[in-house]
Amino acid sequence: MEATKSIVNPLNSLCFVCILLLFANAASAKTHHHDFVIQATPVKRLCKTHNSITVNGQFPGPTLEVNNGDTLVVNVVNRARYNVTIHWHGVRQMRTAWADGPEFITQCPIRPGKSYTYRFTIQGQEGTLWWHAHSSWLRATVYGALIIHPKPGENYPFPKPKRETPVLLGEWWDTNPIDVVRRATRTGAAPNVSDAYTINGQPGDLYKCSKQDTTIVHMDSGETNLLRVINAGLNQQLFFTVANHKLTVVGADANYVKPFTTSVLMLGPGQTTDVLIKADQTPSRYYMAARAYASAQGAPFDNTTATAILEYKTASCSSNCAKTKPVSPSLPAYNDTATATAFTRKFRSPRKVEVPTEIDENLFITVGLGLENCPRGARSRNCQGPNGTRFAASMNNVSFVLPSNFSLLQAHHQGIPGVFSTDFPAVPPVKFNYTGNVSRSLWQPIRGTKLYKLKYGATVQVVLQGTGIFTAENHPIHLHGYDFYIIAEGFGNFNPKTDTSKFNLVNPPLRNTASVPVNGWTVIRFVADNPGVWIMHCHLDVHITWGLAMAFLVENGVSELESLEAPPVDFPVC
């Protein structure tokens, strides 16, 4: 009698394999618990000791390392005298907008003596991000790296480097930065510029009382190091270089890029860039250096230079190198827009990507400065901007005003009226020569808390147009809750008839912070697949203080997986 043959459905086998893979991925994902204690800590820089606000007494704060797919649970205890929130810059926060962190946007601040636990999962992201305070100017000292490694068993799309080094670029004020912004807010004038730049918290050899604490990065001859460069500065785009060494860019904003080699990086505040550096020079000491890219003509800026030292660890170098003066680097001129532009235009995705082509929402948003007339009855000491005015900034002539009694997300979720409106204009209220001589009648924005509503799943294109009001400059524009494709950038006024031919719809880079060129424009696209309220703002903190921001309200989709999760039980109240 012939034995019965069992017939296996290949689809069933495939499904079984899928289920096994899902379980394997879930099993490999970890939950990382951290405690962040926000507190005043004595920090000595530039010969003086200041009681600076830190996390766990560290400046910069702790580096968090996770794998793609892991969950972070961070309990933040506020022992400082200021309100505070923590933003996980660049984390998509899928359905967990309550954990995003910008003050009065997704949450009320954590009051002194109170705590709040941020809970979120990293989904589909790898590379370098960072975390920072999103409350007043606390991020001057409250920041740290967030490194996302591939899932266990998966690799980088480039040869694994021998070592990895976070390089956090920052700005230091030789006073309390909160006092700096409060004085500027009171007077209406521009705030004082920083007194130093820092690399991993240290200004370096070129500043007083700093040489002995200069950051040193060690490398063995012939090895490759992955430098994870983060611009954590408050108000300044920065050039970064390493003397006599080439840098191969492999990632930006936790997205891999098509590798390219350069001798200098330019990062706006908020941006991250991953680079491979090979120790292929004569064993010695070489300066790593950062200084300003200052695009605003006539505006004051910190013109100092931060340094760290790349030191070769070899038998021939170990005894002699410590006494050797490091090789000095060549840095671009402060106003070298050509070098900054050439760098940003090199970014591409590693392969062809699915860029949204059928656009549901097409926005044209002007970004730039303005001036407010001195309010009636105000004293001259409160109007110390140009010609007795107060500095302001706006998007589409709306200077963004933060609410104070509720967060925008809370007001949206609970249906609280009167906190915001949804009439942010999709185009400028008045058309004008944006990058030319702008009529004084257009210098004064209106103040308001205006959001732009998006349906779940809508495809969105935004033209970000810089303006020449008061002064033109490069603006690093950051969108919370999303990555976006940068499909084009250019100078002058965006022209839809001719500039669309410049669109890269094949392999544009995926970023969370775009540098809008001085007197120019940038076009971004994204799909509104993450419900919540998401602020889009200039990452120069002086500009967000003046109102250079707007927010998108992305509605829930149909299913639970397309809807915002419920707020946590320990959610801060105003």
Side-chain angles (χ1 to χ4, degrees):
M1 190 172 178
E2 190 176 351
T4 306
K5 291 182 181 175
S6 64
I7 299 172
V8 178
N9 185 333
L11 285 177
N12 288 342
S13 299
L14 190 61
C15 290
F16 182 66
V17 170
C18 291
I19 291 166
L20 284 178
L21 285 172
L22 281 171
F23 275 115
N25 283 335
S28 66
K30 294 179 180 174
T31 299
H32 303 260
H33 293 265
H34 296 275
D35 290 307
F36 275 17
V37 178
I38 313 292
Q39 60 191 33
T41 303
V43 176
K44 187 174 184 180
R45 297 291 185 274
L46 308 181
C47 313
K48 277 195 222 163
T49 299
H50 295 281
N51 252 347
S52 299
I53 306 304
T54 66
V55 170
N56 300 348
Q58 300 175 41
F59 171 66
T63 293
L64 305 184
E65 296 197 49
V66 299
N67 290 344
N68 180 7
D70 287 356
T71 295
L72 270 165
V73 180
V74 184
N75 181 43
V76 177
V77 179
N78 186 6
R79 291 191 186 148
R81 59 192 174 107
Y82 305 109
N83 294 334
V84 73
T85 65
I86 301 293
H87 170 51
W88 314 93
H89 185 111
V91 174
R92 285 293 317 270
Q93 297 291 1
M94 301 301 293
R95 302 178 55 233
T96 53
W98 307 106
D100 189 44
E103 183 179 65
F104 294 116
I105 303 295
T106 58
Q107 68 169 97
C108 293
I110 306 167
R111 304 290 184 188
K114 302 294 185 182
S115 65
Y116 175 49
T117 301
Y118 294 89
R119 298 174 177 84
F120 55 92
T121 299
I122 306 291
Q123 299 183 47
Q125 295 185 275
E126 294 177 15
T128 305
L129 295 175
W130 62 301
W131 56 264
H132 61 81
H134 212 298
S135 206
S136 185
W137 275 23
L138 284 182
R139 79 174 179 89
T141 52
V142 179
Y143 63 84
L146 172 54
I147 295 169
I148 308 168
H149 298 286
K151 291 178 180 178
E154 297 185 7
N155 301 314
Y156 298 130
F158 47 82
K160 185 174 171 58
K162 183 77 179 290
R163 62 179 89 203
E164 302 181 9
T165 307
V167 178
L168 291 97
L169 313 178
E171 281 183 273
W172 177 264
W173 275 260
D174 202 11
T175 185
N176 181 354
I178 300 296
D179 291 343
V180 174
V181 67
R182 284 181 174 173
R183 182 179 180 280
T185 302
R186 189 172 63 250
T187 63
N192 292 341
V193 299
S194 55
D195 297 290
Y197 299 113
T198 57
I199 300 178
N200 289 353
Q202 295 294 342
D205 288 4
L206 307 183
Y207 298 88
K208 59 185 180 181
C209 305
S210 302
K211 194 177 179 96
Q212 70 278 9
D213 295 313
T214 297
T215 297
I216 297 177
V217 175
H218 290 106
M219 286 182 70
D220 292 324
S221 276
E223 79 177 19
T224 300
N225 193 346
L226 177 63
L227 301 182
R228 299 177 177 273
V229 187
I230 300 165
N231 185 352
L234 252 71
N235 295 320
Q236 193 61 62
Q237 289 92 341
L238 294 168
F239 287 123
F240 174 82
T241 192
V242 182
N244 289 18
H245 288 74
K246 292 290 188 186
L247 305 171
T248 300
V249 178
V250 293
D253 294 356
N255 288 290
Y256 296 118
V257 302
K258 187 177 182 180
F260 66 91
T261 301
T262 181
S263 59
V264 65
L265 313 179
M266 194 287 284
L267 297 90
Q271 292 184 319
T272 73
T273 307
D274 292 345
V275 298
L276 296 173
I277 181 171
K278 189 167 184 181
D280 56 4
Q281 298 299 302
T282 304
S284 188
R285 307 170 94 215
Y286 298 86
Y287 273 131
M288 311 166 85
R291 80 173 184 192
Y293 164 48
S295 60
Q297 196 170 0
F301 66 95
D302 178 353
N303 63 359
T304 62
T305 302
T307 57
I309 297 171
L310 177 68
E311 185 174 296
Y312 280 59
K313 287 174 60 184
T314 60
S316 63
C317 191
S318 56
S319 56
N320 303 322
C321 278
K323 303 167 192 168
T324 307
K325 187 177 187 319
V327 178
S328 292
S330 173
L331 278 157
Y334 298 114
N335 63 348
D336 191 345
T337 291
T339 293
T341 304
F343 176 71
T344 59
R345 286 184 175 174
K346 285 180 182 174
F347 284 85
R348 298 283 184 273
S349 286
R351 60 191 65 82
K352 190 177 187 301
V353 292
E354 293 294 323
V355 184
T357 52
E358 298 293 324
I359 302 300
D360 299 316
E361 299 278 359
N362 202 341
L363 286 82
F364 187 102
I365 299 179
T366 56
V367 299
L369 303 188
L371 298 173
E372 288 182 326
N373 294 329
C374 197
R376 190 177 302 230
R379 299 183 178 183
S380 58
R381 70 187 184 199
N382 301 121
C383 299
Q384 294 181 30
N387 302 317
T389 61
R390 293 177 58 84
F391 271 110
S394 66
M395 288 186 167
N396 278 356
N397 206 45
V398 180
S399 189
F400 192 76
V401 178
L402 287 172
S404 55
N405 296 324
F406 303 95
S407 72
L408 295 175
L409 186 63
Q410 182 185 6
H412 162 59
H413 187 70
Q414 297 178 2
I416 300 167
V419 179
F420 63 85
S421 61
T422 54
D423 56 347
F424 180 85
V427 295
V430 179
K431 281 188 176 181
F432 57 97
N433 181 5
Y434 307 113
T435 54
N437 290 323
V438 182
S439 164
R440 288 279 177 136
S441 64
L442 296 168
W443 283 37
Q444 173 142 341
I446 62 165
R447 291 165 61 81
T449 310
K450 296 176 181 289
L451 278 55
Y452 191 89
K453 192 181 286 189
L454 295 171
K455 287 193 182 309
Y456 182 91
T459 52
V460 185
Q461 174 174 291
V462 183
V463 177
L464 295 162
Q465 173 69 61
T467 66
I469 296 176
F470 188 70
T471 184
E473 64 183 297
N474 184 298
H475 295 279
I477 302 296
H478 172 48
L479 174 59
H480 287 227
Y482 287 89
D483 285 339
F484 48 74
Y485 289 111
I486 302 176
I487 61 172
E489 64 174 59
F491 291 100
N493 298 331
F494 177 77
N495 185 332
K497 290 180 182 173
T498 56
D499 289 332
T500 49
S501 64
K502 301 171 187 170
F503 286 5
N504 175 6
L505 302 179
V506 179
N507 62 348
L510 195 59
R511 304 292 299 260
N512 64 53
T513 306
S515 287
V516 178
V518 55
N519 263 327
W521 50 267
T522 296
V523 183
I524 66 172
R525 287 187 184 178
F526 64 96
V527 178
D529 60 357
N530 193 11
V533 176
W534 306 105
I535 188 171
M536 183 169 73
H537 65 91
C538 182
H539 221 280
L540 305 179
D541 270 26
V542 59
H543 289 180
I544 191 175
T545 302
W546 291 337
L548 215 174
M550 59 82 67
F552 290 106
L553 193 168
V554 181
E555 297 176 315
N556 284 338
V558 177
S559 69
E560 184 184 351
L561 293 177
E562 296 176 348
S563 302
L564 182 67
E565 291 182 359
V569 291
D570 61 340
F571 197 61
V573 294
C574 291

